[in-house]
Amino acid sequence: MEMSVEIVAHAPAFSMVAETAADMAMREALLDRAMGPMRRKKSSEKLRRGRRPSEGLAFVARDASGGVVGTVRLWDVALGEGGPSALLLGPLAVDPSLKNAGIGSALMRHAVAEAARLGHAAILLVGDAPYYGRFGFSAARTGSLAMPGPYERHRLLALELVDGALDGAHGTLKASGRKLKAPAPTMAA
């Protein structure tokens, strides 16, 4: 007699939580695995360098053992010189071994909902329209906006959390978030 056993693959259990300082090393290692070393040369990185993520808008996905398996952060930017404020999302990354498990989608939905709850008016990102379109992002409102440095114009996408938030917005995005504190100088003994 032959027995057949059906194996059902389940998505890994994960939880989304606010990022902590203790997550930094795991987050950086995850970003290196998911995006490679060239990630530090992207135009978006120029807006993040030396800054802290927007208050309350940095999240990680943890697996059952507490490991970081996903990350997303949002950053404060100004839309052009003296323009209105907005958020820049990125990077969004998931451990490559867990692609298609729903972690990236869950992080996106959580980040967008929290940004709206905190009263932000718009989110921009540089990414693939087919992926980010399902969260409401498109290039329809970014034609008068630009990123610093090289980028592909059709990949600059936006989501208005408040209708009309991008009306009249133009110019190059500029970092406007909280700066990282410089490390205190060490005293020689």
Side-chain angles (χ1 to χ4, degrees), residues 134-146:
R134 66 180 136 159
F135 307 107
F137 287 84
S138 79
R141 305 295 316 257
T142 61
S144 297
L145 295 168

Side-chain angles (χ1 to χ4, degrees), residues 4 13 43 65 84 88 100 116 127 135 139 143 157 189:
S4 124
S43 294
S65 68
L88 179 69
N100 301 315
F135 307 107
L157 310 175

Side-chain angles (χ1 to χ4, degrees), residues 95-113:
D95 188 296
S97 69
L98 296 171
K99 289 281 186 200
N100 301 315
I103 297 170
S105 293
L107 282 167
M108 279 299 297
R109 286 186 180 88
H110 185 71
V112 168

Side-chain angles (χ1 to χ4, degrees), residues 27-43:
R27 185 194 69 241
E28 290 301 310
L30 167 66
L31 291 170
D32 285 342
R33 284 192 313 276
M35 306 178 100
M38 294 306 289
R39 71 182 174 88
R40 291 183 174 87
K41 302 213 181 291
K42 294 183 175 188
S43 294

Side-chain angles (χ1 to χ4, degrees), residues 4-5 8 10 19 21 42 46 56 62 65 78 81 100 102 109-110 112 115 117 122 148 167 175 189:
S4 124
V5 177
V8 179
H10 293 285
E19 176 186 290
K42 294 183 175 188
K46 291 179 176 134
R62 293 190 197 287
S65 68
E81 198 62 50
N100 301 315
R109 286 186 180 88
H110 185 71
V112 168
R117 186 185 71 75
D167 289 354

Side-chain angles (χ1 to χ4, degrees), residues 79 86 122-124 141-142 145 158-160 162-169:
L79 304 178
I123 304 172
L124 288 89
R141 305 295 316 257
T142 61
L145 295 168
L159 169 67
E160 286 185 329
V162 174
D163 285 342
L166 298 174
D167 289 354

